[in-house]
Amino acid sequence: MDDQATPDPGLPDTGPPDTGPADPAAALAGRDYGEVLWQPGPEAISSARVTAYARWLAARHGLDLRNHDQLWQWSVTEPAEFWESVWDYFGVLGDRGTGPALSDAEMPGTRWFEGATLNYARNALRTARTEPDRTAVIYRSEDGSGGTFTYGELEREVARVAAGLRALGVTAGDRVAAYLPNVPEALIAMLATASLGGIWSSCSPDFGAGSVIDRFAQISPKVLVAVGGYTYGGKVYDRTGEVASIAAALPGLAAVLLVRTPGAAASGADSPAAAPGTPAPGTPAPGTPAPGTPAPGTPAPGTPAPGTPAPGTAAPGTAAPGPAHPGPRTVGWDSLPAGDPAAQPEFTEVPFSHPLWVLYSSGTTGLPKPIVHGHGGIVLEHLKVLAFHQDVGPDDVFFWYTTTGWMMWNYLVGGLLAGATVVLYDGSANHPALDALWRLIAETGVTYAGTGAPYLLACAKAGLRPGAEHDLSKLRGVGSTGSPLPPEGFRWVYDAVGSDLLLGSFSGGTDLCTGFVGPSPLLPVRAGVIAGRCLGAKVEAYDPGGNPVTGEVGELVITRPMPSMPVGFWNDPGGERYRASYFAEYPGVWRHGDWIMFLPDGGCVIYGRSDATLNRGGVRMGTSEFYRVVERLPEIADSLVIDTGGLGRDGRLILYVVLADGAELDDGLIGRIRSQLRSQLSPRHVPDEINQVPGIPRTLSGKKLEVPVRKILLGTPLAEAADPDALANPEVLAFFAPREPRGESR
């Protein structure tokens, strides 16, 4: 492979940024986007898993698809043939049936693989049948303790827990909810639930009881798997009170399956000041990276449809009443019967669209949306994206820094579908030091490591050089998601981590539990640019009239269905809430809610949420570029920008900053902030106010709270603007109430 640093001839190299009608693509190179940092050589292309798939297509179907663009064009032009080929190529375990892969392509309402049956857990554990002694899981906590499971050991433990859940009354269609950190028990319980045809849902123990009840009360779980405490940042946090409150608020709960961890065994633990995954000032934690279409399918016997409330389930928008029954029994995880050492899980084969798990939207401004994904869609999507875009396979050790409350946990465990070894880490990314993740990667021999873009930027800002400080010789891929990775983040990875890596900046979301624009081992890596659209994902940028555009910023949409689009929302029998969430703006087209610009060669840049747009003088601007400039200043640890304007009227552009240790928001710093924004972006980016705050409010998955803060500035009371239980640091919201401005523009 070639380690290059030459401008990409496909990118224009002139033009001012966002200053009017000039083509925004022409400004990219001038803002240091587009420099080629890595180029796959002939050997890398030949050995890539997606190349092997292209050869298989040629031999099996006579298709001559020689590069990423040709593969992508075919995959979205012939979606039924493409997704059927994914099933066949990977040899998905199940009954394919005789029906078509795609019965109705209209969104919402797409029908996939009608008549097919399979089970996610059976496919995730298939390596146990062929190579039982291969390592399936490496698990570590922040104190360095941990262990491993082979595929055979994992299969036996899944069989044991599945038998225990069955004894507690769990059958196909029942929900099993988990309040667990990223420990092996979470993975085992998820696979055990799926093996029975049950429906999984999880929250991390940094979630407050109210936030968890808002989620789990909607799905009425039969069993709650929980932990009495956890460790984060060197401290132990007691969660016994939260577990009791959650259990008491879940009608129909039959049992609490209690897992003991070092955190659960301690008493007198601290109440957490900051949740896991939440950055300390100046140290961001993992971010988070989605179109959808209900693929109804026929539920297995006894399975409620996703929109049908089970008996005793709280209706959306209402609190669950306290239980009128004697209460759930408590069972210890270790007390479940050991079972036969030779026993294998009994997999319940379910229809393609049978619910696998329920994920949730952030819930910052209302009841979280319960997003249901099906077995078949997730199996096909995760096999495709892991193998064809991240080049992950049986020889890889796959890691992503996440908690069980973020969709990346579900994505991480999908590595088992590819036969890889997955690494589970429970703890802080920066304890005992900011290089904690790099140390873990070196010690466990990780070959593909993922995290949030904010963590990579924090490492860069701190001057870390992991490639020189740790043995990262096995690392061949780095993934970034959660928020856009700016060009300097790309450059830091190649300068300080490794020069011969596939750096994959992904964008996607909880809604699809995947990324739909991201890397490819067939494409070069360019600074600040996402390599291209993922196979099977017909992603476009729409102008205000609903027309696809190239070379200008538009609304991110998906115009063709994907099988991992949601089956629907739970408790949404008519699908009204689902349609309103994604299809109201453009009928039949999924609107994701981000600004995106596509280059003529298919590369793209994400500019932030379209509902948090900065509209100055009639020019729309995303927030990601703004943060890039401000947070590059050494005095700034974090920032938030809000435009209070609305349709047809200008408002004030307000910047909030968290200062690095020892910095002061004096006239000199205010002047430098304004000067940098004016020179690097445009005069329209200069804020009307600059205010210092002790922290930037973030969701539990690390996303900045732009829209709720805007509501507060426009007069919405704090209690109505955001649910504090859905925030990592709700105590900082009070600092965003309207106040006397500092740093007025003159």
Side-chain angles (χ1 to χ4, degrees), residues 88 372 389 513:
D88 293 340
V372 184
H389 290 276
C513 198

Side-chain angles (χ1 to χ4, degrees), residues 11 28 31 33-34 484-487 507 517 527-531 541 552-554 556 594-599 602-608 624-625:
L11 288 172
L28 281 182
R31 288 150 66 186
Y33 282 78
L485 185 66
S507 185
V517 291
V529 178
I530 296 175
E552 60 183 88
V553 178
L556 192 161
D594 278 343
W595 292 126
I596 191 170
M597 182 179 71
F598 281 103
L599 302 173
C604 60
V605 178
I606 300 285
Y607 287 92
S624 64
E625 279 292 272

Side-chain angles (χ1 to χ4, degrees), residues 77 106 194 223 321 336 342 348 388 401 421 443 451 482 484 501 511 527 543 557 570-571 579 640 656 703 705:
T77 303
E106 183 179 350
V223 173
L336 295 177
T348 300
F388 298 162
Y401 180 57
T421 299
E443 292 175 351
T451 184
L501 297 169
D511 317 75
D543 67 13
V557 298
W570 201 268
N571 284 345
R579 282 191 294 272
L640 186 76
Y656 297 92
K703 290 190 175 182
L705 233 66

Side-chain angles (χ1 to χ4, degrees), residues 161 165 176-180 185-186 189-190 193 200-203 216 221 223-227 243 253 255-259 333:
V161 174
L165 291 175
V176 173
Y179 189 57
L180 292 173
E185 289 85 352
M190 185 275 285
T193 300
W200 172 260
S201 193
S202 62
C203 288
F216 291 168
V223 173
L224 173 67
V225 189
V227 66
V243 172
L253 187 68
V256 176
L257 186 55
L258 201 59
V259 176
W333 177 273

